[in-house]
Amino acid sequence: MGLGQYLRSIKDAIQTIGEGMAVTASHMVRKPVTLEYPDRLPGDVRVQDTLPFRYRGILEVDLEICTACLACERACPIDCIVIDAEKDKAAGGLVMTRFDIDMAKCMYCGLCSEPCPTGAIHHTPEFEGADYSLESLVRRFVKAPTIAYKPKKVGETDPNVKPILDRGLRYIAEFAKGGTD
Amino acid sequence: MGDLVQSLIDAKLTPEGVSDWVFYLTAALVFGGIVVFGFVLPIAGITTWVERRIMGRMQSRIGPNRVGPAGFLQWLADGIKNMLKEDIVPTAADGPLFRFAPYVVMTGFVGTFAALPFTSALIIADLNVGILYVTSVTALVVVGILMAGWASNNKWSLLGGIRSAAQIVSYEIPAGLSIFPIVLLTGSLSMQDIIKAQGAGPYSWFLFANPFTFLAFFVFFVSALAEGNRTPFDLPEAESELVAGFATEYSGMRNLLFFMAEWGNLYVIGAIVTTLFLGGWHVPFTFENPLVQHGLEFATFFLKAYGVGVLVPIWLRWTLPRIRVDQMMSMCWKYLVPIAFVNLLGTAAWMLWAPVWMQVVVRLVLLTAAVGATLAFLRRVVFHLEAAKLGREHLSFNPLGTARSPG
């Protein structure tokens, strides 16, 4: 090692250490990005509201637009979704008597929401799922026998269902887009 | 302090029939107790909080902020937690040595405070071999660490202890050699004499006395970091390689003693550097009131020592990765030792031959260079801030500041 190389390595050491220290010093004057969940959030912020649209939190079903096609039940790799639906001429279509999701079993893979034709079953940004018993983690969506949704050729006109369907279709559009945010 | 005790004895304030050495011993224990419990332990403890706070901000986190205002009492909580924990001695360990090792480390660290100055009057013992005493008593730490590594009867601990021994013994040489130029300039080993030979302004600090002491400052600082087992020289602990090195088998209070010595050592590094290179406790004005005068001197010395010895090493710790063992050795023997020798000879030659005008010019040039380097550094900081393209609302100079709102 010649003298030139020797001095150059000293110069490199000083320069690179100085550069590194400049980077850390610049971080010292930035505000931290940490959110102090759960008790010191700024203002009325809910962490759930800041999460991305496709965040995979606890599963939810919009029964208003569920067609009872059982695609989600078939897609679930661990069978945590159970749906009971029967044809009932008098009521005018499929009648759902049970739509249970066992969140204790759910592994948040998202395979149920991909085949859903209306986006009725989807993950929400809600993640606070702690509970005291396994039984109470089973989410029962059908409270009373419900008639399954039938898509209309002209598009949805009912003002009560329209926003729910729009949101469901947005999930489908987001899935079709693929990739990450 | 010896003079104070002697004057009390002379004034017949001591009880009759008690020999002087009893009084001296009592005074030494009392002063020692005051220094250890009133200064050393709080400094070591609070430094852990300061370090975690700064580390958090450098990683865009917040750091401990729950115990007390801005998390300030975190160090007390940690101390209490550690004292309540079980003191485990592994069955395969060498019991007596294992129990004794933390005290040796602690002795080596606290012992330095006997000769460290606080103000022009406040120093426990202004030894005429002060700086020599400080460097030699610090060497006791390596005995304790090696003892801990050996007595743990564990491969990781032993590797840590041996690494520490190799590292401290190697880096004592450039550290010692960087003290010599200052000793040459002052002609004394006493800490107070070294400070008295300097002045209040940076112009009269030994840091800028000549190009060789300027280099010696950096050589000493790097060597002191290595002796204190601080990152990037934390090979003896090396969490990612050696679990916790020599401290692996220790729990509770004994573990805490090791880390107290490590954090407290930072202040010792700062105090030595301040004494040798940064003008010590000198303040530009003198005041009639001795309390004001010594208070200011204490504040000056403390701020310098804390800034250079504690804040800069923390900053370095969160900037640099740990260096390899062979790099650590080559840095010492191939770079620091030769440079330290050049500094020693250079200072001697400088004192013999440099004319007065040249000394003045070189001091001014070195001062300008230091200011220029600081400005260039600040430009790089601004560059990195601008490269991040952050809005003004995402900047905060307050290290106790809270989080950014989401969005």
Side-chain angles (χ1 to χ4, degrees):
Chain A
M1 191 168 62
L3 186 64
Q5 178 63 40
Y6 184 81
L7 293 176
R8 210 171 305 126
S9 56
I10 294 177
K11 194 206 93 193
D12 283 350
I14 294 169
Q15 206 174 351
T16 48
I17 290 173
E19 188 70 18
M21 289 179 84
V23 172
T24 39
S26 82
H27 275 270
M28 269 305 279
V29 298
R30 299 180 197 180
K31 270 193 182 170
V33 291
T34 313
L35 282 182
E36 290 178 88
Y37 174 83
D39 58 333
R40 284 195 198 159
L41 294 164
D44 301 328
V45 171
R46 281 181 78 247
V47 173
Q48 285 87 339
D49 299 336
T50 67
L51 297 171
F53 184 69
R54 284 172 64 186
Y55 183 86
R56 283 195 207 155
I58 291 171
L59 277 173
E60 189 186 51
V61 178
D62 291 325
L63 274 189
E64 292 90 338
I65 56 171
C66 176
T67 57
C69 64
L70 309 194
C72 51
E73 190 182 23
R74 266 175 290 192
C76 183
I78 43 180
D79 296 338
C80 68
I81 303 174
V82 180
I83 306 170
D84 286 345
E86 273 172 32
K87 271 213 171 102
D88 189 341
K89 283 269 161 60
L94 278 167
V95 171
M96 285 187 284
T97 51
R98 188 177 171 198
F99 197 130
D100 293 354
I101 304 180
D102 190 350
M103 290 313 292
K105 287 185 196 162
C106 178
M107 62 174 180
Y108 301 88
C109 61
L111 289 178
C112 52
S113 52
E114 274 182 55
C116 184
T118 55
I121 185 166
H122 55 257
H123 287 277
T124 57
E126 182 56 55
F127 54 83
E128 293 174 338
D131 214 314
Y132 288 97
S133 69
L134 279 176
E135 286 73 32
S136 51
L137 283 170
V138 179
R139 304 199 68 191
R140 301 181 195 283
F141 291 96
V142 178
K143 303 281 186 278
T146 316
I147 303 168
Y149 178 70
K150 268 191 239 151
K152 295 168 184 131
K153 282 212 172 92
V154 292
E156 188 52 54
T157 45
D158 187 347
N160 292 327
V161 183
K162 182 92 166 71
I164 302 173
L165 186 67
D166 285 349
R167 186 178 63 167
L169 293 177
R170 189 177 159 205
Y171 279 102
I172 293 169
E174 295 269 345
F175 280 128
K177 211 160 64 182
T180 51
D181 288 329
Chain B
M1 286 301 167
D3 297 342
L4 182 66
V5 176
Q6 191 56 51
S7 68
L8 286 175
I9 292 170
D10 290 344
K12 300 260 184 272
L13 284 172
T14 52
E16 287 293 320
V18 179
S19 0
D20 286 355
W21 69 267
V22 176
F23 199 65
Y24 268 108
L25 188 64
T26 321
L29 285 176
V30 168
F31 286 135
I34 291 172
V35 168
V36 169
F37 290 106
F39 188 77
V40 179
L41 297 191
I43 284 294
I46 290 168
T47 303
T48 63
W49 170 76
V50 169
E51 163 140 22
R52 292 173 65 186
R53 234 17 232 203
I54 292 181
M55 138 187 20
R57 286 303 299 272
M58 281 180 177
Q59 299 169 349
S60 291
R61 297 186 288 110
I62 299 173
N65 63 345
R66 298 281 159 150
V67 194
F72 178 73
L73 298 176
Q74 185 70 46
W75 62 282
L76 275 181
D78 285 345
I80 292 166
K81 180 196 81 175
N82 271 298
M83 272 189 272
L84 295 176
K85 277 192 167 182
E86 188 186 355
D87 179 24
I88 300 168
V89 180
T91 38
D94 185 334
L97 266 187
F98 185 85
R99 290 192 187 87
F100 189 50
Y103 300 111
V104 177
V105 172
M106 210 53 192
T107 312
F109 149 63
V110 177
T112 53
F113 280 86
L116 287 186
F118 294 98
T119 75
S120 57
L122 190 59
I123 178 167
I124 296 180
D126 185 16
L127 304 174
N128 55 2
V129 289
I131 188 71
L132 189 63
Y133 166 78
V134 170
T135 47
S136 36
V137 85
T138 333
L140 202 59
V141 171
V142 69
V143 179
I145 289 178
L146 200 50
M147 209 186 262
W150 177 257
S152 296
N153 199 3
N154 165 329
K155 290 178 190 68
W156 302 131
S157 304
L158 185 58
L159 273 174
I162 287 172
R163 277 187 185 186
S164 176
Q167 177 173 322
I168 296 183
V169 168
S170 303
Y171 277 86
E172 289 267 302
I173 295 162
L177 284 171
S178 311
I179 292 170
F180 288 152
I182 307 302
V183 176
L184 281 180
L185 285 169
T186 10
S188 168
L189 287 165
S190 148
M191 300 290 260
Q192 294 290 48
D193 286 352
I194 290 171
I195 293 178
K196 277 172 197 153
Q198 304 174 62
Y203 176 80
S204 43
W205 291 354
F206 278 150
L207 173 59
F208 301 113
N210 64 47
F212 303 106
T213 51
F214 191 72
L215 282 179
F217 168 78
F218 293 100
V219 174
F220 181 81
F221 188 73
V222 173
S223 316
L225 278 185
E227 280 186 67
N229 294 335
R230 284 295 293 188
T231 319
F233 304 101
D234 64 341
L235 296 149
E237 282 148 40
E239 291 101 344
S240 47
E241 306 160 28
L242 300 182
V243 192
F246 59 86
T248 307
E249 299 291 352
Y250 283 88
S251 61
M253 200 58 206
R254 282 177 219 279
N255 187 45
L256 191 64
L257 284 180
F258 279 120
F259 285 95
M260 204 135 66
E262 189 193 318
W263 273 297
N265 252 327
L266 288 178
Y267 178 78
V268 175
I269 294 171
I272 298 173
V273 167
T274 310
T275 307
L276 292 176
F277 297 99
L278 301 179
W281 34 253
H282 275 291
V283 283
F285 314 104
T286 48
F287 295 88
E288 288 292 313
N289 189 338
L291 265 184
V292 176
Q293 174 75 17
H294 290 299
L296 272 178
E297 284 178 357
F298 180 79
T300 316
F301 189 88
F302 183 78
L303 286 179
K304 281 181 195 170
Y306 205 78
V308 176
V310 179
L311 299 184
V312 174
I314 289 174
W315 183 6
L316 274 171
R317 176 170 184 180
W318 298 106
T319 305
L320 301 178
R322 182 183 310 128
I323 64 175
R324 239 164 37 207
V325 181
D326 63 316
Q327 290 170 333
M328 184 261 288
M329 280 300 171
S330 77
M331 181 167 170
C332 178
W333 294 101
K334 288 186 189 164
Y335 292 89
L336 297 183
V337 171
I339 294 172
F341 269 114
V342 168
N343 288 339
L344 179 59
L345 294 176
T347 311
W350 187 268
M351 289 171 68
L352 272 179
W353 293 308
V356 176
W357 65 264
M358 196 166 146
Q359 298 194 5
V360 173
V361 169
V362 165
R363 265 178 198 262
L364 290 175
V365 167
L366 286 174
L367 260 175
T368 327
V371 173
T374 314
L375 289 178
F377 177 78
L378 288 177
R379 271 194 57 188
R380 291 307 294 174
V381 174
V382 172
F383 169 82
H384 285 296
L385 279 177
E386 280 172 357
K389 292 202 173 70
L390 290 165
R392 198 160 276 279
E393 71 276 9
H394 292 150
L395 299 181
S396 159
F397 293 92
N398 175 13
L400 304 178
T402 46
R404 183 200 292 186
S405 48

